[in-house]
Amino acid sequence: MTSTLTSTRQAVVLDAPGTGPGTPILSARGLRKSFGLTEALRHVDLEVLPGEVLAIMGPSGSGKSTLLHCLAGVLVPDEGTIVYSGAETPVSAMPEEERSRLRLTDFGFVFQFGQLLPDLTAVDNVSIPLLLRGEKRGAATKIARYWLDRLGLEDAHDKRPAELSGGQAQRVAIARALVNNARIIFADEPTGSLDSLSAENVMTILLEIVRELGTTVVLITHDARTAAYADREVIVRDGRIATTDWQVGA
Amino acid sequence: MSLDLARLAIVGSRGSRGRLLAIAAGVAIGVAILLVLWGARNGLHARDERSSWTLVWGAPQVTTADGQPAELTEDSLLAYQTVDYFRDERIMRVGVATLPGTTVPFPAGITPPAPGEYYASPALADLIDSTPSDQLGDRYGTRAGILPDEALVGPDALVVMVGYDPAEAAASDNFELLSGFNETGRSVNQAYQTILVIGGIAVFFPVVLFISIVTQLGAAQRQESFATLRLIGAPPRTVVSVAAVEMAVTSLVGAIAGVVLSRLVRPLAAMVPINGETSFTSDFEVSPTVTILVVIAMVAVSTIAAASRIRRAGIGPLGGSRQLREGRPSWLRVLPLLVGIGTMLLATLSIDHTFLPAGLVGPLLILGFTVICLGLVVIGPWVTYQVSRLVSRAARSAEAVIACSRILATPAATFRSVGGLVVAVFLVSVFAGSASVVEEQVTPREAPGLMPVDMLTVSGDDVASPDTIEALWSTDGVTGVIPGHAIDQDSELAGMVAVSRDHALALGFEHVPEAGWVGFDAADFTAAERDGDPELFVVDPDEVGEPDRLYVATDGSPDAIERARTAVDVSAGVSSIAMTRADLADFGTTRLVNSLAVLAYLGIFFAVTIAGISLAVSTVAAMLDRKRVLGLMRLMGMPAGSIRRIIGMEAAVPLAAVLGGSIGLGFLVAWMIVTRLGNGDYAMGWPDPLYFVTLAVSLALAVLSISTGAATVNRNTSVSATRFE
């Protein structure tokens, strides 16, 4: 399976940050973020290209989740800027309402656990972003069912998170991330709580769909096998980008 | 926020339906109690107005310019009021005498009764009809009709209006010449209204706490869901809106259910004796405007509270950002309680020293009581914190360390769990302390020098006439008739009763002096109890006057007592009512304290039940809110038993810290209320044994509630439950 996926890698070439074959969809410059006395990010520069699958790796406490949260507008960095899709206003300078809107319309999230609303069925969980955008319930449900079907969850429409397996729950989360046609999906250890078979299954489906749609993925993982699905890896250590591994033309 | 999103957030969540149902139920109970109390407040006023005509002493009197007695005319009436007895029942008796063609308006538009006729309330008419006439009906004459509901306090009211001959009435000192019937309520109800308002607050307060607890049910779980909404792009205002709409819809459903519930419980509420009488169901009617206002207020307050709670929690995409350690409670939290106690003390002391306007005392007591209730809730976290600091120093086990740390970190949240029970125990102590006054009312017992319990006494100018004595002797069940004589006004024994030595022995006196006549104090003789031996004095036969009272001995059967009472009434005419010692003891009270006791026990029932439910709910809620933390402890290998002990300690420490104080405070407040109620006439005694039973039940409820919560430890913190947490 890994070999199949490796063959789907895009030829991504970046000579230096900010240059290359495409304009970065997300560009971070000089990011600093501290929690009390702990410096989680220390002057991080990073660019994410449209359609690429970027894996961020690193040991526990290295700052990779903080980096992802800053890139997604969940956290605001103490210093530095994050520019999304060349917009004039950096994400980091946007007020909370605007960042929320951005997360709703352009970003999707798949986390390790706990991101599904426990009281709602799979269909309702997936339709929530659409409802937040003002879609009617009927239409939202229809779209949600479509995405659940695409992710192989035909039999799980009306199940609640507690009734789903870990792999199914993650696929519901992916459906929810995709339902609004997100341009970037932020995935924080999406397979962290899954067995290897389920993990492979989830990553395969995710990659298939994002490749087809041209969706960008920023993926945090500890697991080298999961990272192998990515076009590019960056390693974060002590709040800094330590190395960048370009999977060029593989 | 779209309606669809709101609908999904509210009704789409099967798991939260139980939580929402609990919130709606809490709001329903609160609204129902509020509406019933509001209705009672209005009803009390309506009852007063309807029955005001029976208060002859407060009616407008007719006097001439020179103070001479005025003549009865067509636009005036002669009237008197007294309390008649049948068995243990009081009968309000109003005598009237009018000239033919009188223009005085009669209550509820009835025609004035002719001499020898009477109007009876429906309950009294039933009683008369079901009782031999020589025991009751003969006292009043011929029935002219039934008093309409508009002239009665309530359906059980025993009231009779008896018509008298104007000449006979004019000759009697008992009658007053009035220009009309009284139209204003009884002043005694001012005190009663104060008590009712305090009782209302006392019952409503646990309900408010209950609502406060249930509306926070599952708040932590809810916050996680809101965080997810925030992560996927819901702006803060949308999350606040979802929480507000959820609470608005839930509390609206609850409030409407409360309105329905209040209508259902009205007949039950009407059965609660207020001032000794039950009410008509219609007395609890609340206007549609007030009902709508209560519903709107309840929905608005709970919605604003829910929205503000979520806004304050500052829920971000990664969860609540402000779920931090609570600040250390300040000693300033003591102040509200001190202010409340001070206010009530001020009002109480003013009763004796009158340094406050009389009209201010009642409102001050109510204000003070309310502030004390609030003060208990405010001071709780401070006391809890101080006590847990002491306990934590002595803590050795892991459970104690964890429990004390949590209490020290969140004293307010920890106290909130037991706050309902602490307030309930306070209220139970208030009710029990107030009700202990009733326990002081002594049931008359047989003792030398006290009138036998099966004997009647009656006094009046013409009461001891030969006709009356003869009538009594011929009454079935009467075993003796002893006339009591007045003593000459110039004698140093004036005011006492003189009887012959034989009669003194017949009255039950011991060690009677060897003299023809002896005297004794009539009030002492008919008192409910006495300390020491009765005093008997030798009376000079020359100082013995005409008989002005009778002592009627009976065979002790209730029928004989009532026959004797009726015989006196029929024979003596307009006079005092013959009474037993039990009647006299009852006559000395307003029955206010007795009806207070009924309300007190109802209050105890409400407070303890609601507090028990509150504690159970809050224990389970606290467990659910900390499911992840407790689950992690179990993952680390902590046995479920240890977690149960942690939960138990977290409830036990604040409960133990505040419980003793709240009991003492309860009795202090009861003393202040009783003092106000009885103008110093009542003394508090030891509470009824029922109080100690209630206290034990409260503690048992606490243990049961905590155990109920702890029993769910296995399920809520199992590894499978926390696998995905």
Side-chain angles (χ1 to χ4, degrees):
Chain A
M1 200 68 181
T2 306
S3 59
T4 310
L5 283 164
T6 307
S7 67
T8 65
R9 283 178 179 166
Q10 305 291 303
V12 178
V13 178
L14 274 181
D15 294 331
T19 64
T23 308
I25 191 167
L26 207 53
S27 173
R29 299 256 172 211
L31 294 190
R32 284 182 187 278
K33 180 71 183 175
S34 298
F35 297 101
L37 296 174
T38 308
E39 240 185 320
L41 295 179
R42 306 173 187 199
H43 200 84
V44 170
D45 292 336
L46 182 68
E47 293 197 334
V48 183
L49 290 178
E52 80 163 322
V53 177
L54 171 67
I56 301 175
M57 297 188 72
S60 291
S62 58
K64 52 189 188 302
S65 286
T66 304
L67 175 59
L68 181 133
H69 292 152
C70 286
L71 291 174
V74 172
L75 291 177
V76 178
D78 300 332
E79 281 179 33
T81 55
I82 298 152
V83 175
Y84 167 66
S85 200
E88 276 184 27
T89 311
V91 176
S92 46
M94 287 177 178
E96 176 58 40
E97 288 274 329
E98 252 183 87
R99 282 188 282 122
S100 295
R101 198 178 309 125
L102 193 62
R103 288 200 300 272
L104 178 62
T105 56
D106 289 41
F107 298 168
F109 295 87
V110 183
F111 284 0
Q112 185 176 352
F113 43 55
Q115 77 274 39
L116 295 181
L117 297 174
D119 296 330
L120 303 190
T121 61
V123 166
D124 287 339
N125 260 296
V126 175
S127 61
I128 282 281
L130 296 164
L131 296 176
L132 281 169
R133 287 177 68 166
E135 200 74 58
K136 293 286 178 206
R137 178 93 187 264
T141 303
K142 200 171 166 186
I143 298 168
R145 287 184 190 282
Y146 163 79
W147 279 105
L148 287 171
D149 291 349
R150 273 205 70 177
L151 286 153
L153 294 166
E154 296 87 349
D155 299 332
H157 286 195
D158 298 321
K159 289 185 176 173
R160 290 182 165 72
E163 299 163 335
L164 300 171
S165 69
Q168 285 178 314
Q170 288 307 78
R171 280 187 279 156
V172 173
I174 292 168
R176 192 180 63 186
L178 291 165
V179 76
N180 263 351
N181 299 319
R183 294 182 66 196
I184 307 178
I185 289 178
F186 294 93
D188 191 348
E189 302 279 12
T191 58
S193 60
L194 305 179
D195 61 77
S196 56
L197 192 63
S198 300
E200 195 171 296
N201 191 8
V202 164
M203 286 308 295
T204 304
I205 288 180
L206 174 65
L207 268 290
E208 267 177 18
I209 293 176
V210 297
R211 298 290 186 211
E212 181 188 324
L213 299 173
T215 309
T216 305
V217 176
V218 179
L219 169 74
I220 287 183
T221 183
H222 271 102
D223 183 6
R225 282 180 302 175
T226 304
Y229 291 97
D231 302 316
R232 181 163 62 109
E233 293 172 15
V234 294
I235 296 176
V236 180
R237 209 182 299 276
D238 297 330
R240 294 191 176 89
I241 302 283
T243 54
T244 303
D245 173 23
W246 302 101
Q247 310 281 348
V248 182
Chain B
M1 183 186 60
S2 75
L3 278 176
D4 282 327
L5 177 62
R7 202 163 55 212
L8 192 59
I10 295 156
V11 295
S13 51
R14 187 181 59 182
S16 63
R17 277 180 206 159
R19 182 177 70 89
L20 297 180
L21 201 63
I23 294 173
V27 171
I29 292 169
V31 166
I33 290 178
L34 189 61
L35 288 176
V36 167
L37 289 175
W38 187 268
R41 178 189 166 278
N42 294 337
L44 204 60
H45 185 65
R47 285 162 49 106
D48 272 2
E49 283 200 341
R50 285 199 304 267
S51 62
S52 59
W53 65 270
T54 59
L55 302 174
V56 169
W57 311 138
Q61 295 189 359
V62 180
T63 52
T64 55
D66 55 3
Q68 294 300 307
E71 294 284 321
L72 178 67
T73 59
E74 287 178 350
D75 54 2
S76 63
L77 80 158
L78 285 160
Y80 86 98
Q81 72 172 91
T82 190
V83 175
D84 198 355
Y85 282 89
F86 178 79
R87 307 280 158 89
D88 292 330
E89 302 284 354
R90 277 186 181 191
I91 299 166
M92 175 58 74
R93 176 168 170 172
V94 176
V96 292
T98 53
L99 293 178
T102 182
T103 58
V104 174
F106 267 59
I110 58 171
T111 310
E117 289 186 346
Y118 72 91
Y119 284 93
S121 62
L124 179 60
D126 288 345
L127 190 62
I128 290 170
D129 293 344
S130 60
T131 307
S133 61
D134 62 349
Q135 290 182 33
L136 182 60
D138 289 350
R139 299 179 200 177
Y140 310 125
T142 309
R143 189 180 304 166
I146 301 291
L147 285 168
D149 288 351
E150 298 82 59
L152 300 171
V153 165
D156 295 341
L158 298 177
V159 184
V160 62
M161 178 192 278
V162 185
Y164 284 90
D165 176 64
E168 185 188 358
S172 167
D173 289 342
N174 293 329
F175 280 83
E176 301 275 347
L177 186 62
L178 310 174
S179 60
F181 286 98
N182 187 9
E183 291 178 353
T184 56
R186 286 176 280 191
S187 61
V188 67
N189 275 353
Q190 293 301 320
Y192 203 85
Q193 279 191 348
T194 304
I195 299 299
L196 193 73
V197 172
I198 288 177
I201 293 168
V203 170
F204 192 64
F205 208 78
V207 176
V208 171
L209 282 177
F210 174 61
I211 292 171
S212 159
I213 286 167
V214 293
T215 52
Q216 292 184 53
L217 195 58
Q221 283 177 315
R222 218 49 200 132
Q223 286 196 5
E224 285 176 22
S225 297
F226 288 147
T228 302
L229 280 178
R230 292 279 290 109
L231 179 69
I232 61 177
R237 62 185 157 74
T238 300
V239 170
V240 170
S241 302
V242 169
V245 170
E246 178 187 77
M247 186 56 73
V249 172
T250 309
S251 56
L252 181 64
V253 170
I256 292 170
V259 173
V260 175
L261 185 64
S262 75
R263 295 197 73 87
L264 293 177
V265 299
R266 267 180 211 169
L268 292 176
M271 289 164 67
V272 175
I274 299 177
N275 216 1
E277 308 274 6
T278 58
S279 308
F280 294 111
T281 304
S282 58
D283 284 336
F284 289 83
E285 199 69 45
V286 179
S287 73
T289 312
V290 172
T291 305
I292 290 169
L293 281 177
V294 167
V295 170
I296 290 173
M298 187 60 88
V299 172
V301 168
S302 26
T303 303
I304 291 167
S308 136
R309 199 179 299 139
I310 291 297
R311 192 177 291 118
R312 276 202 319 271
I315 297 170
L318 299 176
S321 61
R322 287 166 213 162
Q323 288 174 311
L324 302 173
R325 193 182 173 92
E326 288 174 18
R328 179 180 167 173
S330 160
W331 66 269
L332 292 172
R333 284 175 171 269
V334 178
L335 291 183
L337 192 61
L338 292 180
V339 168
I341 295 170
T343 307
M344 282 197 90
L345 272 175
L346 187 73
T348 309
L349 292 174
S350 170
I351 292 165
D352 289 336
H353 301 94
T354 59
F355 49 81
L356 288 173
L360 200 60
V361 175
L364 268 182
L365 275 176
I366 293 170
L367 178 71
F369 182 78
T370 311
V371 176
I372 286 177
C373 286
L374 289 171
L376 261 179
V377 178
V378 173
I379 198 176
W382 181 77
V383 180
T384 301
Y385 183 85
Q386 301 301 336
V387 171
S388 59
R389 268 180 67 189
L390 293 175
V391 176
S392 72
R393 282 180 200 158
R396 295 288 175 270
S397 65
E399 293 93 329
V401 169
I402 291 169
C404 287
S405 303
R406 201 228 169 190
I407 296 171
L408 286 172
T410 56
T414 317
F415 178 76
R416 197 181 298 128
S417 300
V418 298
L421 196 65
V422 167
V423 172
V425 167
F426 162 72
L427 296 173
V428 167
S429 303
V430 172
F431 290 135
S434 306
S436 73
V437 168
V438 182
E439 301 307 309
E440 291 244 310
Q441 307 268 325
V442 178
T443 305
R445 288 192 304 270
E446 295 289 9
L450 285 174
M451 188 171 87
V453 292
D454 55 5
M455 186 175 273
L456 292 150
T457 181
V458 59
S459 61
D461 290 342
D462 305 321
V463 80
S465 66
D467 288 348
T468 305
I469 292 172
E470 189 182 330
L472 279 167
W473 274 117
S474 60
T475 300
D476 188 19
V478 171
T479 56
V481 182
I482 298 169
H485 295 251
I487 297 178
D488 194 42
Q489 289 297 319
D490 297 331
S491 166
E492 59 181 11
L493 296 176
M496 290 196 174
V497 179
V499 292
S500 66
R501 185 173 186 278
D502 290 345
H503 281 162
L505 289 167
L507 288 173
F509 285 104
E510 292 177 348
H511 313 298
V512 180
E514 294 290 342
W517 292 88
V518 293
F520 58 88
D521 188 304
D524 285 352
F525 182 56
T526 54
E529 61 177 354
R530 71 179 303 150
D531 295 325
D533 293 329
E535 283 190 293
L536 283 175
F537 304 91
V538 175
V539 181
D540 182 344
D542 294 340
E543 293 178 347
V544 174
E546 292 299 313
D548 65 349
R549 72 189 62 227
L550 289 176
Y551 295 101
V552 184
T554 68
D555 60 13
S557 68
D559 289 356
I561 290 173
E562 296 311 329
R563 273 196 294 270
R565 202 183 331 248
T566 306
V568 170
D569 207 318
V570 170
S571 176
V574 183
S575 63
S576 298
I577 305 293
M579 293 191 197
T580 62
R581 261 169 68 218
D583 297 336
L584 286 164
D586 179 82
F587 189 73
T589 72
T590 59
R591 286 199 175 180
L592 198 58
V593 285
N594 294 315
S595 47
L596 173 67
V598 174
L599 290 183
Y601 289 121
L602 274 176
I604 287 171
F605 171 74
F606 263 113
V608 170
T609 307
I610 293 170
I613 297 169
S614 298
L615 186 57
V617 168
S618 58
T619 309
V620 174
M623 161 103 64
L624 291 175
D625 284 357
R626 297 164 63 217
K627 194 172 167 181
R628 176 175 293 160
V629 176
L630 298 174
L632 287 174
M633 287 181 193
R634 284 205 67 191
L635 282 173
M636 281 158 45
M638 181 173 273
S642 295
I643 293 178
R644 275 194 285 272
R645 279 193 289 280
I646 292 172
I647 292 170
M649 284 188 73
E650 285 174 4
V653 169
L655 204 56
V658 190
L659 212 57
S662 67
I663 290 172
L665 190 62
F667 280 98
L668 175 67
V669 169
W671 172 77
M672 291 190 275
I673 291 173
V674 166
T675 308
R676 157 69 183 146
L677 172 69
N679 286 321
D681 293 341
Y682 299 114
M684 273 177 57
W686 281 100
D688 189 84
L690 184 64
Y691 167 71
F692 298 103
V693 173
T694 309
L695 207 58
V697 168
S698 303
L699 292 175
L701 264 177
V703 172
L704 185 70
S705 306
I706 295 165
S707 308
T708 307
T712 64
V713 160
N714 272 339
R715 192 175 66 239
N716 283 312
T717 63
S718 67
V719 175
S720 60
T722 50
R723 189 165 62 109
F724 297 114
E725 289 294 317

